[in-house]
Amino acid sequence: METVLSPSHSRAISNHPKLSLFRDQAKISSSNQKICNSNKKFVACCCESSEPTSQNGFCRRDIVLFGFAASVATVFPVEGSVADEEIKMAPIVDDLNAYSYLIPLEMPSKNFSFKWVESRKPERYSSAAPLSPNARLRIVAERVDFFDNLILSVTIGPPNPIFLKSNDKSTWEAKDVADSVLSDKSALRVTSSQRMAESSVLDAHTSEINGEPYWYYEYLVRKSPTKTVTDSSIFRHYVAASVERDGFLYTLNASTLNKQWDMMGPVLEKTVASFRLLPPTENYVPPYKDPWRFW
């Protein structure tokens, strides 16, 4: 559903106090991606309920309001193997951990809709599920599209000093950040080197956004995604973005099966490029707070 507003209505909505957050989301940029021009039409989701959403605390009525003048559900061009394809996206905001990103909703030209399920609601680092026996890296939120085998997850964990020896994050290389995150990403009792052997980093680069370094990397995981898959050539293809705050790395991972990468890869790259830390609010819980608390 597209909505066209008069200039006076547009000006009135643009002054809404919550709109600035989503306006920032619409200005996402990276060195190898283009964001749609300002004259692109914005598309709003049609919602009836005024109940707050489970993750961002905004009521659905507000989401419709934002959609008229901001990129709550915005059509972005996606480049790559799906050239000139457009994708409808909406913001996900986690106030508890103070970050946001854009989630894909539809590819209108292909009549394709994503079927996301919130498999893990946002939770504080101290109560989040660990991804390895040492419990350093923990998953604080996750969304899954079971039909299309897509996963979006956010993890938080301290830097691994084996790979990131300096306390000055401006000196960190993207490949070292990737190795730091991947070394702690395993549910098996194996060494860091064995965990890294499961993965191959294909590309890594750094971009500075609002004075903060963001590290982007693409990697493969050589493990069967399900017990029913026995072909060793089938693995998951990931793209991720990491950023440091309060001595911890916040990472958004997006993945699909390698055979689906040509279609889904550019979409997941767009999602990862939108990942941003937000100014903390009163709801923010830093990872170092109450590390003993598991509820």
Side-chain angles (χ1 to χ4, degrees), residues 25 37 67-68 73 85 127 129 136 146 176-177 193 240 257 268 292:
Q25 284 296 96
N37 297 329
F68 294 139
E85 177 64 86
S127 61
R136 287 166 44 87
F146 292 101
D176 294 332
V177 172
S193 59
L257 295 179
L268 299 182
W292 46 267

Side-chain angles (χ1 to χ4, degrees), residues 77-86 107 110 262-264 266-267:
V78 176
E79 298 178 348
S81 58
V82 285
D84 300 325
E85 177 64 86
E86 290 185 336
M107 288 190 280
K110 293 184 179 296
D262 287 344
M263 177 180 177
M264 295 297 179
V267 177

Side-chain angles (χ1 to χ4, degrees), residues 198-212:
E198 298 174 351
S199 309
S200 295
V201 177
L202 304 178
D203 179 63
H205 66 277
T206 306
S207 293
E208 186 172 299
I209 301 172
N210 297 326
E212 289 291 328

